[in-house]
């Protein structure tokens, strides 16, 4: 990285840090610290929701995902707009009416304390771990590009964002996310422009898409249906995207405090709902364009020399071993095929004939086979190394080809995206710990009139935010070698999200079912989800991770209903009426 | 939090719904846009494959 890049990177990060601290002034009580005094307009809620969901992983992995697997990943978001409608109808009015700090407060009113504590614990467990991965994601860039030690990189990365998150709470989080998203979208647009700009003469945007399409990268819609019927193991297709994606989004936006905490900051119920619905409108197109960037990058590398493996640090290590000759041999063969690919691609662009398209496709298959062989040798040469280079593809292009200054900006964008989601997560984790555990288990009532109490709770909240930040950094240190990070995070969420959603669905729609039944059902449901996950991992069944959300939610609802029917009438408490309207 | 039945809590007065007038219109818009996106993506996939 050049000096200009370093200046741009440091200035951008400093700008966010300063802006975060500048916006830290809020009333020194829980309402101010966790909910920004409930005074945000819908557009800030929208940007905060988007900034929380779109982590560095989104911008790191998504273009690489499109590069390797095509654009079908976008189907994962098809259930999101449907979930936004359901949340807007059922969840938001209830949370708004109850004036809760956390989504789990509602569960105590509806069921009992143990159900609230269990659900909040599941949230803290899953969010705590995934926040660690979100810190690790940008850290691998630095460690790989600069040769820095990953251990210290994680510490520096996590430490900087903690400064303004601890200081300013939800208000600082929301305002920094607004600025972060503006810089991120600007930077990604410029990167996309340069990818197209660097294409050879005679190859424009449409031709680039045709090259990607010929290699199967523009497979936006896939059905997952094979000769043997529906492939349950297929991760991204329109069916799993709509059904599995709906359940995941419903759980993430309706019951995950990192998102609930964002729209609870809104001025009123209407502003919360509007922020969510706008998110439902913009999310699919946004993800489409990020993935499109990956396919354009793929086209770029059909006309230009590409590395066989995009993580240079692993290749350098492997070249120090006895496997270097084997790797060099594969590289030589790959370079020859690449030269052919450039020739075939130009011919296809010029002629648009099926015969030339077939040559492009066949040659690409040979290149993919060589890449696979190369990865296998890398695995033998550097045991334990991550041989999935999906996360490195986009950044390798940035570092190798973008002009000075822009490299620094693009790397800053990865930091900012990470900070946006991590800051919201830390804020929500602290909110749950303080509201659902610290204050609740002390048996005290939150009294906004008592200034001394408010100040004490405010200070305690800051300490918990700091503690969760440190916990996340420790998790990040343990996250090395988890493959494609975007999938790792989603997979982790899917182990818990379905069960949490099931509890909320029973709370909202099965009004006769009470605490004991839903509590046992939640434990049974979690066991079923983990069992399904393990059976899939061991190869006994084939089940894509998106389906775990459906399994978890349905397992809780069905089990709770069965237990409710079995339980003697004396053990069923008086039903509590719940109405959102 | 008081253990008051949830449906007996006072309801906030709703301000007017911006841009579309009602939330029902918003829901229809979201569904229509999703459908249009899927149709466009099907065309996109077929056209470029």
């Amino acid at each position: 990285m050049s000096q200009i890049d370093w200046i741009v990177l440091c200035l951008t990060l400093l700008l966010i840090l300063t802006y975060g601290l500048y916006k830290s002034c809020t009333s020194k009580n829980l309402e101010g610290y966790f909910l920004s005094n409930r005074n945000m307009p819908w557009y800030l809620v929208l940007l905060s929701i988007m900034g929380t969901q779109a982590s560095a992983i989104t911008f790191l992995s998504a273009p690489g995902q499109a590069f390797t697997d095509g654009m079908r990943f976008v189907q994962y978001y098809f259930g999101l707009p449907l979930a936004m409608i359901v949340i807007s109808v059922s969840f938001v009015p209830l949370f708004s009416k109850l004036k809760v700090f956390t989504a789990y407060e509602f569960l105590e009113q509806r069921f009992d304390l143990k159900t609230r504590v269990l659900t909040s614990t599941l949230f803290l467990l899953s969010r705590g771990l995934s926040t660690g991965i979100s810190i690790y994601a940008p850290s691998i860039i630095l460690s790989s590009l600069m040769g820095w030690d990953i251990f210290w990189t994680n510490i520096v990365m996590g430490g900087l964002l903690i400064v303004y998150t601890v200081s300013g709470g939800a208000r600082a989080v929301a305002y920094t996310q607004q600025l972060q998203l503006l810089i991120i979208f600007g930077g990604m647009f410029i990167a996309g422009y340069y990818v197209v700009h660097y294409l050879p003469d005679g190859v424009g945007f449409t031709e680039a898409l045709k090259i990607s399409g010929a290699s199967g990268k523009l497979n936006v819609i896939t059905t997952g249906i094979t000769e043997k019927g529906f492939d349950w193991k297929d991760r991204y297709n329109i069916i799993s995207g709509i059904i599995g994606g709906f359940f995941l989004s419903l759980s993430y936006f309706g019951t995950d405090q990192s998102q609930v905490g964002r729209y609870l900051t809104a001025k009123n119920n209407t502003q919360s709902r509007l922020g969510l619905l706008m998110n439902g409108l913009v999310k699919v197109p946004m993800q489409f364009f990020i993935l499109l960037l990956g396919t354009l990058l793929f086209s770029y590398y059909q006309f230009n020399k590409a590395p066989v493996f995009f993580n240079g640090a692993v290749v350098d290590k492997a070249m120090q071993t006895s496997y270097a000759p084997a790797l060099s041999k594969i590289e030589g063969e790959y370079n020859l095929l690449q030269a052919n690919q450039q020739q075939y691609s130009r011919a296809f662009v010029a002629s648009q004939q099926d015969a030339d398209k077939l040559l492009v496709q066949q040659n690409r298959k040979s290149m993919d086979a060589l890449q696979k062989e190369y990865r296998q040798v890398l695995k033998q040469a550097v045991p334990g190394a991550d041989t999935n280079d999906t996360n490195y593809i986009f950044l390798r292009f940035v570092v190798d080809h973008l002009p000075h200054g822009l490299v620094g900006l693009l790397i800053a964008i990865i930091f900012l995206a990470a900070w946006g989601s991590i800051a919201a997560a830390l804020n929500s984790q602290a909110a749950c710990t303080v509201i659902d555990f610290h204050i609740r288990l002390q048996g005290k009532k939150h009294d906004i009139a008592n200034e001394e109490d408010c100040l004490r709770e405010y200070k305690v909240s800051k300490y918990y935010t700091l503690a969760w930040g440190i916990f996340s950094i420790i998790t990040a240190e343990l996250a090395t070698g988890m493959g494609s990070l975007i999938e790792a995070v989603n997979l982790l969420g899917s182990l818990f999200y379905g069960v949490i959603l099931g509890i909320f669905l029973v709370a909202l729609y099965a009004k006769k079912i009470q605490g004991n039944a839903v509590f046992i059902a939640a434990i049974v449901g979690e066991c079923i989800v983990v069992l399904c996950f393990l059976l899939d991992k061991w190869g006994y069944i084939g089940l894509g991770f998106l389906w775990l959300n459906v399994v978890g939610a349905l397992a809780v609802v069905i089990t709770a209903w069965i237990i409710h029917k079995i339980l003697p009438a004396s053990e069923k408490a008086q039903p509590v009426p719940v109405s959102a309207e | 939090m008081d253990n008051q039945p949830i449906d007996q809590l006072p309801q906030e007065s709703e301000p007017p719904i911006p841009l579309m007038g009602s939330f029902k219109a918003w829901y229809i818009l979201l569904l229509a846009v999703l459908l249009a996106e899927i149709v466009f993506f099907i065309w996109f996939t077929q056209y470029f494959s």
Side-chain angles (χ1 to χ4, degrees):
Chain A
M1 236 172 44
S2 71
Q3 212 168 4
I4 300 171
D5 291 320
W6 276 110
I7 293 168
V8 171
L9 172 63
C10 293
L11 282 180
T12 314
L13 298 188
L14 203 66
L15 171 74
I16 294 296
L17 207 62
T18 316
Y19 188 64
L21 289 171
Y22 169 68
K23 289 287 181 185
S24 289
C25 304
T26 180
S27 49
K28 293 184 175 173
N29 54 35
L30 294 181
E31 189 106 343
Y33 193 69
F34 288 130
L35 299 176
S36 188
N37 292 318
R38 302 186 201 256
N39 63 2
M40 294 283 179
W42 68 265
Y43 50 88
L44 271 181
V45 172
L46 165 71
L47 292 174
S48 197
I49 287 170
M50 290 175 72
T52 301
Q53 191 185 16
S55 65
I57 296 166
T58 309
F59 298 99
L60 267 175
S61 272
Q65 188 96 12
F67 190 100
T68 52
D69 189 42
M71 291 184 71
R72 68 196 186 112
F73 180 67
V74 78
Q75 296 169 112
Y76 172 81
Y77 295 95
F78 283 176
L80 189 144
L82 306 175
M84 294 300 103
I85 295 173
V86 174
I87 293 167
S88 180
V89 171
S90 296
F91 290 68
V92 180
L94 199 59
F95 293 152
S96 176
K97 196 199 277 187
L98 291 172
K99 296 269 178 214
V100 290
F101 279 82
T102 75
Y104 318 113
E105 273 185 271
F106 156 66
L107 293 178
E108 183 176 358
Q109 187 130 337
R110 171 65 180 82
F111 297 123
D112 48 31
L113 177 62
K114 65 176 182 299
T115 309
R116 172 183 178 179
V117 169
L118 171 75
T119 318
S120 192
T121 306
L122 285 179
F123 162 73
L124 287 174
L125 193 63
S126 65
R127 186 51 53 199
L129 293 174
S130 61
T131 307
I133 294 172
S134 301
I135 288 181
Y136 170 73
S139 297
I140 54 166
I141 309 157
L142 273 184
S143 66
S144 174
L145 290 180
M146 315 301 163
W148 288 358
D149 187 279
I150 185 80
F151 178 84
W152 291 107
T153 316
N154 279 329
I155 288 174
V156 175
M157 164 60 63
L160 282 177
L161 79 101
I162 289 172
V163 174
Y164 71 83
T165 311
V166 169
S167 164
R171 185 177 150 83
V173 171
Y175 276 97
T176 48
Q177 280 173 327
Q178 175 196 12
L179 190 57
Q180 284 159 354
L181 275 179
L182 284 175
I183 299 172
I184 289 168
F185 289 142
M188 293 301 276
F189 181 79
I190 294 170
Y193 166 78
Y194 269 96
V195 176
V196 177
H197 177 70
Y198 285 151
L199 288 167
D201 289 341
V203 182
F205 179 72
T206 316
E207 289 78 14
L209 290 185
K210 283 185 177 164
I211 288 289
S212 300
S215 303
K217 304 298 177 190
L218 300 186
N219 53 348
V220 187
I221 301 289
T222 56
T223 61
I225 296 169
T226 63
E227 301 86 41
K228 293 176 185 171
F230 184 70
D231 182 5
W232 290 90
K233 205 162 172 56
D234 183 39
R235 287 189 164 181
Y236 310 116
N237 56 64
I238 191 164
I239 297 167
S240 72
I242 291 177
I243 300 173
F246 168 74
F247 276 82
L248 180 62
S249 299
L250 199 58
S251 187
Y252 177 56
F253 290 98
T255 73
D256 188 311
Q257 182 60 25
S258 67
Q259 281 295 356
V260 175
R262 296 321 101 209
Y263 57 77
L264 285 181
T265 60
K267 272 179 197 162
N268 52 43
N269 178 12
T270 303
Q271 301 290 312
S272 295
R273 292 165 87 175
L274 208 55
L276 281 164
L277 293 171
M278 279 290 193
N279 183 47
L281 272 183
V282 300
K283 187 68 192 177
V284 174
M286 176 190 134
Q287 209 60 40
F288 175 81
F289 285 115
I290 295 171
L291 288 164
L292 196 69
L293 180 62
T295 64
L296 291 172
L297 206 56
F298 175 84
S299 298
Y300 168 83
Y301 280 122
Q302 303 314 296
F303 297 100
N304 296 279
K305 194 172 182 313
V308 190
F309 189 74
F310 282 84
N311 184 353
V314 173
V315 175
D316 289 345
K317 270 188 198 168
M319 284 300 184
Q320 309 295 320
T321 68
S322 59
Y323 288 91
L327 290 169
S328 299
K329 184 174 169 284
I330 298 172
E331 273 181 25
E333 290 172 29
Y334 189 83
N335 289 340
L336 280 176
L337 287 177
Q338 205 166 59
N340 291 342
Q341 187 72 354
Q342 291 175 15
Q343 198 185 325
Y344 297 150
S345 298
R346 282 174 195 276
F348 172 60
V349 166
S351 74
Q352 302 287 325
Q353 295 296 313
D354 283 348
D356 290 319
K357 185 177 173 180
L358 199 65
L359 281 174
V360 170
Q361 289 171 335
Q362 284 173 342
N363 198 60
R364 186 67 238 173
K365 273 187 188 164
S366 307
M367 290 169 78
D368 289 344
L370 273 182
Q371 276 184 315
K372 201 174 172 186
E373 196 183 330
Y374 194 83
R375 285 196 189 98
Q376 282 166 350
V377 178
L378 278 180
K379 207 161 202 156
Q380 289 170 323
V382 191
D386 183 6
T387 54
N388 184 345
D389 61 347
T390 307
N391 303 320
Y392 293 83
I393 293 169
F394 176 57
L395 272 152
R396 182 75 186 260
F397 168 80
V398 168
V399 172
D400 288 351
H401 302 291
L402 287 193
H404 293 316
L406 266 183
V407 177
L409 180 69
L410 264 293
I411 289 178
I413 281 171
I414 301 301
F415 275 87
L416 301 191
W419 286 7
S421 61
I422 296 163
L426 295 184
N427 182 256
S428 64
Q429 286 163 246
C432 281
T433 318
V434 172
I435 305 290
D436 294 332
F437 293 91
H438 187 94
I439 294 177
R440 178 62 188 86
L441 299 182
Q442 276 182 344
K444 283 170 65 179
K445 283 198 172 178
H446 173 61
D447 179 12
I448 50 169
N450 189 330
E451 277 186 28
E452 202 179 310
D453 268 7
C454 283
L455 192 63
R456 194 183 309 119
E457 286 163 356
Y458 168 76
K459 282 181 181 170
V460 164
S461 304
K462 284 189 162 189
Y463 292 135
Y464 276 117
T465 310
L466 178 66
W468 275 112
I470 294 168
F471 174 82
S472 300
I473 292 172
I474 293 169
T475 312
E477 303 296 0
L478 306 171
T480 313
M482 288 194 73
S484 178
L485 291 166
I486 195 164
E487 290 185 4
V489 170
N490 290 333
L491 179 63
L492 196 66
S494 295
L495 285 179
F496 298 99
Y497 277 160
V499 171
I500 297 177
L501 176 63
I503 296 169
F504 273 86
L505 288 180
V506 173
L508 288 166
Y509 301 115
K511 294 173 188 174
K512 286 184 179 171
I513 299 178
Q514 289 305 298
N516 287 343
V518 85
F519 185 78
I520 299 165
I523 293 168
V524 172
E526 193 55 64
C527 292
I528 292 172
V529 169
V530 172
L531 184 70
C532 286
F533 170 69
L534 291 175
L535 287 175
D536 174 62
K537 203 177 175 191
W538 294 332
Y540 292 108
I541 58 168
L543 197 69
F545 74 87
L546 268 180
W547 292 106
L548 292 176
N549 299 290
V550 186
V551 170
L554 293 181
V556 173
V557 172
I558 293 167
T559 314
W561 183 79
I562 293 169
I563 295 170
H564 172 73
K565 289 285 170 197
I566 294 170
L567 272 182
S570 58
E571 289 188 27
K572 291 174 190 167
Q574 195 63 29
V576 179
V578 176
S579 170
E581 297 302 328
Chain B
M1 195 164 41
D2 295 333
N3 282 331
Q4 191 179 359
I6 293 160
D7 59 352
Q8 287 175 23
L9 289 169
Q11 180 70 55
E12 269 181 32
S13 60
E14 285 290 319
I17 316 302
L19 304 175
M20 302 283 292
S22 77
F23 276 118
K24 202 180 236 178
W26 270 103
Y27 303 148
I28 293 167
L29 176 73
L30 242 74
L31 291 175
V33 169
L34 178 65
L35 194 67
E37 281 165 351
I38 291 174
V39 170
F40 168 72
F41 292 151
I42 290 170
W43 169 82
F44 186 84
T45 304
Q46 286 177 345
Y47 183 79
F48 286 108
S49 63

